[in-house]
Amino acid sequence: MFEAVELGQKVSKDVYKEAVPQLRVDLVNAQYELRHAHFPVIILILGDDRHACNGVLNTLMEWMDARYIESHYFGAPTEEERQRPRFWRYWCVLPPRGKTGLFMGAWAASALTERVRGEISNARFEQRCQHIRRFEQALADDGALILKVWLHLPKAIHKKRFKKGNQWRIDQQTWSIYEQYDTAIRVGEQLVRLTNTEMAPWILVDSTDIRYCNLTVARTLLNALTARFNTSSPADRPVALPAAITLPHHQQTILNTLDLSATIPWESYRPLVDGYQGVLHKLCRSAFLKGLSSVLVFEGWDAAGKGGVIRRLTQAMDAQFYRVIPIAAPTDEENARHYLWRFWRQLPQAGKVVIFDRSWYGRVLVERVEHFAREPEWQRAYGEINDFEEQLIDQGILLLKFWLHIDADEQLRRFKARENTPYKKYKITEEDYRNREKWHDYEIAVSDMVTNTSTEYARWHLIPATDKRYARYQVIKAFCEALEQRLGQKV
């Protein structure tokens, strides 16, 4: 594969000197136009020529307006990064729409390096490449312009450079590539092949001559930006939808199978919940000491009792161990990025608990029903969410998802009760009543959500919540049992 670019192409100093000024002007003008566009630019630079990678990245930073481009280098993960899923540190620094992010190696280099060193098997490497494809596809589907550049230096040139006596200029990573060149090339070709897609293609560049290298990468970026400006946005292009399962509107949903009459007497509720809260307190402390993180997701109808359940959970935990994240409409900062960005940033450190009061499932619920997201966007969200949750599980995070269910009559009764309760009046708005008019649409959306995202590693817990005591008991019990199973201890 890489031999195809070993052409030894060179650019003279005079040609280079003549081409650079106008190219810089064109790049900066493209940046200014990008500021008003509805997409970010993500440039990934990787290759077997570490020196050229650094040179190209530095050149792009010099030629472009530094106010609208950021570069990101990634060394060994920090302790904070190791406590979260692998892609967390990349999600946290993704550029907003209108700006450019320049990434040195990043997610691709991580998989490549570990495979070359023999730290992961080929099967695990291929799995990592699939995660890379899904990550890049999710960003591209959201509108990002992604360019991935592989800078290749022929083995003979590598050897020639090392014989010049400039070893003091060569870092350890470059030495490593030289010493394992054949392996690095083989794995690199496999990486490029497995992660090359129409929406996130690899551009292979011969890095023998740095002037040729700089001009080629810069012109490729400029051409890609110009082409995007002159065509319709990704949001306007037809998209092949993933194989999501959608129920017809006349069909009964899974919610209809729940026994909403389920209840628990007060005299039984108090001792049971008190007991489980004591168990939960001990389990959360054990989880913290062992570094077991938990993510709890709460979805449900308005007035279904999510807040009450969450309060019973947090009553049993030390404040240092948990955070509750209420999810409302996205801010301008959040709207400028992929919808999952704000959730990736909130993932817990080792041993901590994060509770989401509403979550990323808004994409396939309220955004679907209220038409805040187009059909291709919420349809592909099922696969994006499943991949996101799979990465949480791979990291060792305990993930529990709860849907609290009531019927329309019970919701109306609770709305009226809230209006007559001074400290609960703030919870009721005109929008709450308006949403009731789309009750069946939401039922279909919920059933589709459960069907498409209840996986073997992250199934949904559907909780009848007409009796608030019953719902609280079931949730606390489920969390305790899951912690006991993961910790291997019975309290």
Side-chain angles (χ1 to χ4, degrees):
M1 179 189 296
F2 293 154
E3 291 92 337
V5 298
E6 293 181 358
L7 303 177
Q9 299 186 73
K10 295 184 178 182
V11 172
S12 69
K13 290 182 180 179
D14 291 339
V15 170
Y16 187 74
K17 186 176 180 180
E18 181 180 355
V20 167
Q22 186 59 50
L23 184 54
R24 294 184 65 172
V25 170
D26 292 341
L27 283 171
V28 171
N29 285 337
Q31 277 187 282
Y32 292 157
E33 187 172 354
L34 176 64
R35 290 173 59 197
H36 306 290
H38 198 63
F39 64 90
V41 176
I42 296 171
I43 305 169
L44 176 68
I45 297 179
L46 182 61
D48 50 83
D49 188 346
R50 173 80 175 184
H51 179 70
C53 289
N54 284 328
V56 168
L57 189 147
N58 288 329
T59 298
L60 289 177
M61 290 296 296
E62 177 188 348
W63 287 0
M64 301 174 74
D65 191 326
R67 292 174 297 175
Y68 310 114
I69 182 172
E70 288 188 1
S71 62
H72 302 282
Y73 288 76
F74 299 91
T78 64
E79 180 60 30
E80 182 182 26
E81 291 167 343
R82 282 195 292 270
Q83 293 178 18
R84 293 175 171 89
R86 186 178 305 278
F87 279 77
W88 177 78
R89 60 175 175 167
Y90 310 125
W91 275 95
C92 286
V93 295
L94 288 176
R97 295 179 178 90
K99 291 193 176 183
T100 300
L102 196 51
F103 294 81
M104 173 65 84
W107 49 90
S110 172
L112 175 70
T113 301
E114 291 181 29
R115 180 61 187 136
V116 170
R117 291 174 178 169
E119 296 171 1
I120 57 176
S121 66
N122 189 61
R124 179 60 175 163
F125 176 71
E126 291 182 354
Q127 183 186 44
R128 291 276 291 279
C129 288
Q130 286 302 312
H131 280 303
I132 290 171
R133 284 178 65 103
R134 295 171 194 160
F135 170 63
E136 294 172 349
Q137 188 66 47
L139 300 181
D141 286 340
D142 196 52
L145 173 61
I146 302 176
L147 294 177
K148 300 182 299 187
V149 179
W150 182 282
L151 301 181
H152 173 62
L153 189 66
K155 189 174 185 179
I157 307 299
H158 259 293
K159 187 175 182 180
K160 183 178 179 180
R161 286 184 181 177
F162 273 74
K163 285 184 175 180
K164 285 186 176 181
N166 291 328
Q167 283 85 351
W168 62 272
R169 300 179 59 185
I170 301 170
D171 59 26
Q172 184 58 45
Q173 187 171 3
T174 304
W175 272 110
S176 178
I177 292 173
Y178 176 70
E179 292 172 343
Q180 303 183 69
Y181 184 87
D182 293 336
T183 300
I185 292 299
R186 175 179 55 79
V187 177
E189 289 182 338
Q190 186 181 11
L191 172 76
V192 169
R193 186 176 68 255
L194 292 176
T195 61
N196 187 62
T197 64
E198 179 184 2
M199 301 291 278
W202 280 101
I203 298 100
L204 307 183
V205 180
D206 184 346
S207 63
T208 302
D209 179 67
I210 192 61
R211 290 188 292 269
Y212 168 79
C213 210
N214 288 339
L215 290 181
T216 300
V217 174
R219 286 169 173 165
T220 299
L221 170 59
L222 180 60
N223 291 339
L225 280 168
T226 302
R228 172 63 69 87
F229 293 147
N230 293 334
T231 59
S232 60
S233 68
D236 298 326
R237 297 199 295 263
V239 178
L241 298 179
I245 303 168
T246 304
L247 298 176
H249 274 230
H250 64 271
Q251 184 170 323
Q252 290 283 319
T253 71
I254 192 171
L255 300 179
N256 299 127
T257 67
L258 298 181
D259 180 11
L260 292 181
S261 66
T263 186
I264 185 171
W266 174 256
E267 59 271 17
S268 302
Y269 166 77
R270 193 69 265 170
L272 281 172
V273 168
D274 285 348
Y276 271 112
Q277 285 182 324
V279 170
L280 181 58
H281 181 83
K282 296 177 182 178
L283 289 170
C284 285
R285 183 166 293 277
S286 294
F288 176 74
L289 295 174
K290 293 186 178 181
L292 172 62
S293 306
S294 298
V295 171
L296 274 58
V297 173
F298 285 93
E299 295 285 355
W301 300 104
D302 292 333
K306 296 183 293 297
V309 170
I310 291 171
R311 280 194 297 276
R312 272 60 183 186
L313 286 170
T314 57
Q315 285 172 355
M317 295 186 279
D318 285 339
Q320 62 177 317
F321 296 150
Y322 72 86
R323 285 185 301 132
V324 179
I325 311 295
I327 299 301
T331 64
D332 290 343
E333 181 187 23
E334 293 164 345
N335 263 330
R337 294 172 172 85
H338 192 280
Y339 73 95
L340 286 175
W341 176 77
R342 60 173 171 163
F343 303 109
W344 271 97
R345 298 174 72 216
Q346 300 290 357
L347 295 180
Q349 293 174 293
K352 301 292 186 72
V353 180
V354 166
I355 301 172
F356 286 96
D357 184 354
R358 299 202 183 281
S359 68
W360 44 92
Y361 283 99
R363 188 66 156 191
V364 296
L365 295 176
V366 64
E367 292 186 38
R368 166 185 172 173
V369 175
E370 303 297 338
H371 305 294
F372 297 145
R374 299 176 305 111
E375 184 171 352
E377 292 174 327
W378 63 256
Q379 283 271 27
R380 66 174 176 255
Y382 297 124
E384 293 169 349
I385 287 170
N386 286 339
D387 184 64
F388 170 48
E389 293 179 351
E390 182 180 351
Q391 292 186 61
L392 303 189
I393 302 303
D394 284 348
Q395 179 65 18
I397 293 173
L398 173 62
L399 173 64
L400 295 177
K401 306 183 299 189
F402 298 96
W403 172 267
L404 303 187
H405 187 54
I406 56 177
D407 61 25
D409 292 338
E410 176 63 17
Q411 184 190 61
L412 181 60
R413 187 191 69 77
R414 293 185 183 183
F415 280 4
K416 296 299 183 183
R418 283 181 173 183
E419 289 177 335
N420 295 322
T421 305
Y423 67 90
K424 290 186 177 182
K425 283 185 177 181
Y426 75 93
K427 293 185 175 183
I428 294 296
T429 66
E430 289 296 326
E431 185 177 350
D432 293 321
Y433 281 102
R434 184 183 61 80
N435 289 343
R436 284 176 51 81
E437 299 173 4
K438 300 181 179 180
W439 183 276
H440 187 62
D441 292 337
Y442 274 103
E443 279 190 317
I444 294 295
V446 172
S447 192
D448 287 348
M449 173 191 76
V450 173
T451 301
N452 287 286
T453 63
S454 194
T455 60
E456 68 275 10
Y457 49 82
R459 70 182 184 88
W460 277 97
H461 296 263
L462 305 180
I463 308 294
T466 302
D467 180 2
K468 294 180 179 180
R469 295 190 297 269
Y470 179 82
R472 294 165 184 171
Y473 164 68
Q474 289 295 329
V475 170
I476 295 174
K477 178 172 177 284
F479 189 24
C480 286
E481 290 177 346
L483 283 171
E484 287 179 337
Q485 182 178 8
R486 286 295 301 277
L487 293 169
Q489 67 183 70
K490 191 77 173 177
V491 178

